[in-house]
Amino acid sequence: MKPMVMMIALVALCLAAGGAYLVWGMPQARPRANGAAANCSEDLAARNEALRREEQRLRQENRNLANVLGEPSDEVTPDSADTQSKGQPQPEVVVSSMDQAKAAFQGEDAQAARKALEFLLRAAKGGDAEARAFLVQMLGHADERVRALAVEGIGNFFDPKDLPLLEIASRDGSPLVREAAATWISEYPPEHATNVLLGMLNDDNPLVLQRAIEGLGELRDEAAVNALNRMTRHENDDVAAEAAVALRNFGDYGPAERMAPKWVERAREGTREERVHAIRKLGALRVEGSKPALEEMLQDPDPKVVKEARKAIRKIDTDVEKRNAGKPK
């Protein structure tokens, strides 16, 4: 019995000693090396920040390049996406009644006003006196846009009896209305239109003057030649150039040839808009002597300048071909 008791006591003593070892004697486990994980996270954050900055830099370069080229940026932002959605084509406006046409004609929606004009013209040309009377009435509307649209409506009848109405519009207080009047007066035969357009050469607005001069050039009435020659000396260079272009229709190329060097110089210097404007004038003047300068501009770093120079060269080449075709062999 005693040996058994002693054995049990010995086992208990061993178990107690083992427990003490586990609690006090076993070496403590080393903590994990969290420093390496932390360093890895820091490296990843640094790389993400560098990528973000690089993305911002590339976006800015894209915007700068788009500004230089004068083209819209391809960058899509929430604002631009919203703008694009707003820029989607609107449903086509349908005008189907006289009351609807009258309201739309005087409204803010340009597309609806245009549809209203089409409706009124169809009705008036079909014999509807109310539609025609409404267009005449709108010549006195308070809004210049409505008056200009009414001028277009009256002009579309091509009736010489309407010319007094257009002549009144040619003296309207709004340049927009006067320009519209010059446009539609030019559609009438010279015996009706020339004197009215000559009277408009006293206008103080360059755009109105250019439109009246253009109309006189299209009519090719010899009665306008002296006045057009005077306009080549106008203080506004655009007006003078338009007169030179008109005189080409009468076989007089001298004014255009004299003006071309001035526009060549302007096409070489100035802002982008000024250069493009000058190149377009050279295309209108169609002077063969300006072609070498335009060909040099085909190497210009500005793509808009290159595009306009190419157009001007085509106009000159086409004009030269036509003139040579008319010469006796």
Side-chain angles (χ1 to χ4, degrees):
M1 185 68 180
K2 286 184 179 180
M4 181 64 69
V5 172
M6 291 179 64
M7 185 176 293
I8 293 172
L10 182 60
V11 170
L13 182 61
C14 289
L15 290 173
Y21 173 78
L22 289 173
V23 175
W24 305 106
M26 180 178 288
Q28 293 184 0
R30 293 182 180 179
R32 291 189 176 182
N34 290 331
N39 290 338
C40 181
S41 297
E42 291 174 0
D43 291 344
L44 183 60
R47 285 198 297 270
N48 287 339
E49 177 64 18
L51 289 172
R52 186 184 66 80
R53 291 179 179 177
E54 179 65 11
E55 181 184 14
Q56 289 179 340
R57 184 186 68 79
L58 291 174
R59 285 180 182 273
Q60 185 60 48
E61 285 188 0
N62 184 46
R63 287 192 291 268
N64 293 341
L65 182 59
N67 289 335
V68 170
L69 297 178
E71 303 292 343
S73 172
D74 292 333
E75 180 180 353
V76 178
T77 63
D79 290 340
S80 65
D82 183 58
T83 301
Q84 290 173 5
S85 65
K86 291 179 181 178
Q88 294 297 322
Q90 298 297 319
E92 185 175 357
V93 177
V94 177
V95 177
S96 56
S97 70
M98 183 62 69
D99 289 341
Q100 187 182 8
K102 289 180 178 181
F105 192 89
Q106 303 172 73
E108 295 292 332
D109 188 332
Q111 181 188 5
R114 176 64 52 184
K115 289 292 183 180
L117 175 60
E118 294 172 2
F119 178 92
L120 291 166
L121 284 174
R122 285 195 302 270
K125 290 180 179 180
D128 191 325
E130 181 184 358
R132 179 180 172 82
F134 175 77
L135 288 172
V136 174
Q137 179 187 357
M138 289 299 99
L139 290 173
H141 197 279
D143 190 330
E144 64 177 8
R145 296 172 303 163
V146 176
R147 298 199 303 277
L149 198 60
V151 167
E152 181 178 345
I154 297 299
N156 260 286
F157 292 115
F158 303 106
D159 187 344
K161 291 184 294 184
D162 291 327
L163 202 57
L165 295 174
L166 297 179
E167 189 171 0
I168 292 172
S170 74
R171 298 190 294 271
D172 191 278
S174 165
L176 180 67
V177 178
R178 299 199 302 274
E179 189 177 355
T183 298
W184 288 98
I185 291 169
S186 303
E187 298 295 327
Y188 284 75
E191 60 269 24
H192 299 292
T194 298
N195 286 336
V196 181
L197 291 175
L198 286 173
M200 296 186 72
L201 296 184
N202 295 317
D203 201 288
D204 59 359
N205 184 279
L207 293 178
V208 175
L209 285 174
Q210 289 177 70
R211 189 62 197 94
I213 290 169
E214 182 182 1
L216 289 169
E218 292 170 353
L219 292 173
R220 305 190 184 200
D221 188 339
E222 292 289 339
V225 170
N226 289 337
L228 290 174
N229 271 304
R230 287 196 302 272
M231 297 305 289
T232 62
R233 298 186 291 275
H234 195 275
E235 61 183 5
N236 183 289
D237 288 337
D238 288 326
V239 172
E242 194 65 54
V245 172
L247 284 169
R248 287 177 52 89
N249 291 334
F250 297 90
D252 185 357
Y253 305 104
E257 291 171 353
R258 289 193 296 272
M259 291 182 190
K262 176 194 296 184
W263 290 104
V264 167
E265 291 304 313
R266 293 183 180 181
R268 286 175 170 155
E269 300 177 355
T271 66
R272 183 195 203 199
E273 291 74 19
E274 290 169 343
R275 296 183 66 202
V276 167
H277 179 70
I279 293 171
R280 288 173 177 169
K281 286 296 180 185
L282 289 171
L285 292 169
R286 291 167 287 166
V287 174
E288 190 174 8
S290 62
K291 186 176 174 180
L294 290 167
E295 289 173 338
E296 291 177 8
M297 294 173 201
L298 296 178
Q299 308 303 319
D300 196 275
D302 190 327
K304 184 65 174 177
V305 169
V306 173
K307 180 180 179 180
E308 294 299 329
R310 189 174 290 116
K311 287 181 181 179
I313 291 171
R314 281 200 298 267
K315 289 181 179 179
I316 293 172
D317 288 342
T318 301
D319 185 71
V320 170
E321 290 174 5
K322 288 181 178 179
R323 291 169 64 181
N324 289 337
K327 291 180 180 179
K329 301 295 183 182

